[in-house]
Amino acid sequence: MMNSMIMENGVTFKTLEKNIFSWVCEIGRQFTTEFLERYDRMLMEERDKKKYRHKGYRQTTIKTVYGEVTYRRAVCEVTQEDGSRHFVYLLDETLQLDHVGLISTNMAQLLVKGVTELSYRECAAKVSEMTGQTISAMGVWNVIQSLGEKVCEEEAQLVEEHKKGHIRGKKEVPVLFEEADGVYVRLQGKDRKSSRQDKAEIKVGIAYDGWKRAGKERYILSDKVVVAGFARAKEFHEYREAAIAETYNLEEVCERILNADGASWIKKVKDKSTCFQLDPFHRNKAVRERVHNLKAVKDIMELLDGEKIEELFEYLELYRNSLSEDGEIEDVEELIRYYRNNKEGLLPYQSQGLELPKHPEGLEYRNMGTMENHVWSVIARRMKHNHTSWSRRGGNHLAKILAKKCSGKLYEVTEKRKHPAFEEEKVEEIYGEILMSSKTPKKDGKGYAYPVLGHLVGLEGKVSAIFDEGIISLNVPASVLFGQGEEE
């Protein structure tokens, strides 16, 4: 029957696939509505009736990967010890919708992962295309702002707990490597006008305990912690320390080594006991930008590579005195100032006389200088190019989500539950009730057996699906499913 319908109407497999997908999403929405309402009734039956007074039902809608699910759940009045009253939804508390909002965690994860790679508009289009949900670019933006706000709140709580001495990571390492840098992104609207500048700096910091071999000539950073955001130096340092302390037991760290470009804000966050190394990329870049004679550039690079620091400064002074152009003289003087301000870091950390403990098994200690690559992969690739501009709030939220992704903790943006939301026994019970409530006989007439799984039964005016021993009926015309309806 199905083959004849397809042949007769000339339906492509693409059309069939899209229509079946839409139909299956409708089944999922109906099933989810029934499940949530039944689970809500279970919660109401088991509640403390003295504490939670039933005050009727309220309807709401939650966005899922297979579309919007509308359901009714009970509202309860709770009286506090001080006599104040407030209303709660037991089902919403079970689902922990206060964290994500009226959107499923799966849906939120799709959006969060999408915006780390695509613009809000592109993410909305892709998610709408690949799921049963239709969402706008503004809808995606609203979800990300809500989640970003939660991330900021959690960061603030982490900082407070760290100040109280309550944060101590489980991992104990002898050496901790740290890097920091900043990247400027364009501001938009009120933020650009109020600050009277077109750009603002997003600070980025990473910490790791060494390098793991991932291939013949490839290494990856071990247990990387990444933080980012618009912040003043002090605020950034406080959160950076708290984030590192959440993973590492800092009391057991013997040596901390910081690789950075020497910016003033980085010097402010550097601990006095921390060994500082001037980032090789910025150190060498400064020579190429400030020295215009190729022979001099080569000589300076050789002195740096040979770690002849005093000879380096003597050479720079002689070179400056040999110049006649004011612009060239100013450039060299700027280079000299930059190197003098960061003289302690001109040598790589391996040449600064440190007695480093032996690295843990499986790790190696290598040359530092991954910050420029991380600035690109964490922030610049998504936020700096393609003519994008940002509000401070929106840019800060996305920067923090991008940092979570680079740390391998993107799931933390949407998933905070430590335990399952639903009890397994109750889930199984409700599954059975839903299927049994629409149970149909296995035999019809002279012993014809209905199929049990994965088959579609075309009926006059509607289509039904049979699962196990139950049947779910939808008001979906067979003509739509098999291509006689409108195509996009």
Side-chain angles (χ1 to χ4, degrees):
M1 178 180 177
M2 183 183 294
N3 288 338
S4 63
M5 292 182 65
I6 293 175
M7 293 297 293
E8 179 183 347
N9 295 286
V11 178
T12 64
F13 182 76
K14 176 183 178 182
T15 300
L16 181 66
E17 181 185 29
K18 289 174 64 176
N19 290 335
I20 290 177
F21 175 73
S22 177
W23 175 74
V24 171
C25 287
E26 176 63 23
I27 291 177
R29 292 192 291 270
Q30 290 189 12
F31 193 97
T32 304
T33 295
E34 185 70 18
F35 176 87
L36 292 175
E37 291 181 352
R38 286 176 180 266
Y39 203 92
D40 184 57
R41 288 197 289 272
M42 278 189 174
L43 293 175
M44 290 300 293
E45 291 172 1
E46 298 175 359
R47 77 187 192 282
D48 182 349
K49 296 182 180 179
K50 293 182 179 179
K51 180 179 179 181
Y52 299 97
R53 296 185 60 189
H54 193 348
K55 289 294 183 180
Y57 292 89
R58 299 290 186 276
Q59 182 173 290
T60 190
T61 299
I62 182 172
K63 293 182 181 293
T64 71
V65 293
Y66 41 84
E68 294 186 353
V69 174
T70 300
Y71 61 97
R72 295 171 71 248
R73 78 279 199 232
V75 57
C76 295
E77 183 183 64
V78 180
T79 302
Q80 302 289 356
E81 294 181 357
D82 60 1
S84 62
R85 298 179 181 180
H86 70 280
F87 295 93
V88 298
Y89 298 96
L90 297 181
L91 181 62
D92 289 3
E93 290 185 347
T94 299
L95 296 175
Q96 295 192 8
L97 293 179
D98 60 322
H99 178 71
V100 181
L102 293 177
I103 183 170
S104 73
T105 301
N106 287 328
M107 185 66 184
Q109 287 176 343
L110 282 178
L111 298 178
V112 168
K113 188 175 181 180
V115 297
T116 62
E117 300 288 341
L118 305 170
S119 68
Y120 288 107
R121 189 176 301 280
E122 291 170 333
C123 177
K126 183 62 68 175
V127 170
S128 298
E129 177 186 344
M130 299 300 295
T131 71
Q133 179 61 253
T134 300
I135 189 167
S136 66
M138 183 54 67
V140 177
W141 187 88
N142 287 332
V143 171
I144 298 305
Q145 301 320 305
S146 176
L147 294 173
E149 202 65 49
K150 289 290 184 180
V151 171
C152 290
E153 292 173 4
E154 289 160 5
E155 288 185 0
Q157 293 172 4
L158 182 66
V159 170
E160 289 302 314
E161 291 300 309
H162 181 249
K163 289 179 178 179
K164 296 176 183 177
H166 297 165
I167 303 298
R168 179 178 297 178
K170 294 182 179 180
K171 187 164 188 181
E172 297 181 356
V173 297
V175 179
L176 190 63
F177 298 91
E178 304 170 45
E179 304 196 30
D181 202 351
V183 56
Y184 281 87
V185 298
R186 282 191 287 268
L187 295 176
Q188 64 178 214
K190 296 180 181 178
D191 289 320
R192 184 175 67 244
K193 293 179 180 179
S194 62
S195 61
R196 295 182 180 179
Q197 58 184 17
D198 294 333
K199 297 181 179 181
E201 185 181 39
I202 293 179
K203 295 177 174 62
V204 185
I206 63 174
Y208 49 97
D209 60 344
W211 288 256
K212 287 182 180 178
R213 183 183 292 272
K216 187 176 180 180
E217 297 293 336
R218 192 168 71 89
Y219 292 84
I220 59 174
L221 303 184
S222 172
D223 288 328
K224 181 169 56 179
V225 176
V226 183
V227 296
F230 289 116
R232 293 185 174 88
K234 181 180 179 181
E235 295 171 354
F236 182 78
H237 175 62
E238 289 176 345
Y239 173 58
R240 186 176 68 95
E241 284 294 299
I244 293 173
E246 190 177 26
T247 298
Y248 295 101
N249 183 352
L250 295 178
E251 293 182 0
E252 299 299 323
V253 175
C254 300
E255 190 71 56
R256 297 178 68 169
I257 303 171
L258 174 64
N259 178 81
D261 65 356
S264 59
W265 69 266
I266 295 176
K267 291 289 188 72
K268 291 179 181 178
V269 304
K270 185 179 80 69
D271 189 88
K272 292 182 180 179
S273 61
T274 298
C275 171
F276 171 70
Q277 170 189 291
L278 187 63
D279 182 65
F281 173 82
H282 290 90
R283 183 196 68 180
N284 298 340
K285 180 183 177 183
V287 177
R288 298 187 182 97
E289 288 182 345
R290 300 296 179 182
V291 178
H292 307 290
N293 183 286
L294 294 180
K295 171 73 167 54
V297 170
K298 182 180 178 181
D299 292 342
I300 294 171
M301 295 301 296
E302 287 179 353
L303 291 171
L304 285 170
D305 293 339
E307 300 179 2
K308 300 175 182 179
I309 305 304
E310 295 304 327
E311 293 181 28
L312 168 68
F313 283 104
E314 290 176 4
Y315 182 92
L316 288 173
E317 294 286 351
L318 289 172
Y319 176 69
R320 180 195 60 186
N321 295 335
S322 69
L323 298 173
S324 58
E325 295 289 335
D326 291 342
E328 292 186 12
I329 294 173
E330 290 177 4
D331 283 342
V332 175
E333 288 180 342
E334 180 63 30
L335 178 62
I336 293 173
R337 282 194 296 270
Y338 179 57
Y339 277 1
R340 287 200 183 281
N341 290 338
N342 297 283
K343 186 176 181 179
E344 59 177 312
L346 287 175
L347 291 177
Y349 75 91
Q350 298 97 325
S351 301
Q352 293 190 29
L354 302 176
E355 296 182 4
L356 297 181
K358 183 179 179 180
H359 54 73
E361 185 177 355
L363 294 183
E364 296 183 27
Y365 294 159
R366 297 173 56 81
N367 293 330
M368 299 179 72
T370 67
M371 199 62 229
E372 195 66 22
N373 178 60
H374 277 82
V375 164
W376 163 256
S377 60
V378 177
I379 301 297
R381 184 166 63 91
R382 174 64 179 87
M383 299 183 67
K384 187 175 177 64
H385 304 288
N386 301 320
H387 305 287
T388 54
S389 59
W390 308 89
S391 66
R392 283 188 175 272
R393 177 172 175 268
N396 190 53
H397 290 164
L398 184 56
K400 293 185 179 300
I401 290 173
L402 290 168
K404 290 282 188 182
K405 180 182 180 181
C406 191
S407 297
K409 298 179 179 179
L410 190 60
Y411 68 92
E412 289 185 353
V413 178
T414 56
E415 185 62 71
K416 288 297 180 182
R417 287 188 291 272
K418 301 298 183 182
H419 305 287
F422 301 108
E423 296 179 24
E424 186 174 359
E425 292 182 0
K426 291 182 179 179
V427 170
E428 294 294 334
E429 181 181 344
I430 293 176
Y431 279 173
E433 288 180 358
I434 294 175
L435 295 175
M436 290 297 293
S437 65
S438 53
K439 184 177 180 181
T440 59
K442 283 187 177 181
K443 294 183 178 181
D444 182 31
K446 296 182 180 181
Y448 175 77
Y450 282 107
V452 287
L453 276 178
H455 291 266
L456 308 181
V457 182
L459 304 177
E460 188 68 30
K462 65 179 181 179
V463 176
S464 300
I466 298 176
F467 296 94
D468 293 331
E469 299 178 2
I471 183 169
I472 298 177
S473 297
L474 301 175
N475 293 321
V476 181
S479 60
V480 172
L481 179 61
F482 300 119
Q484 295 177 353
E486 293 182 0
E487 191 175 357
E488 65 173 357

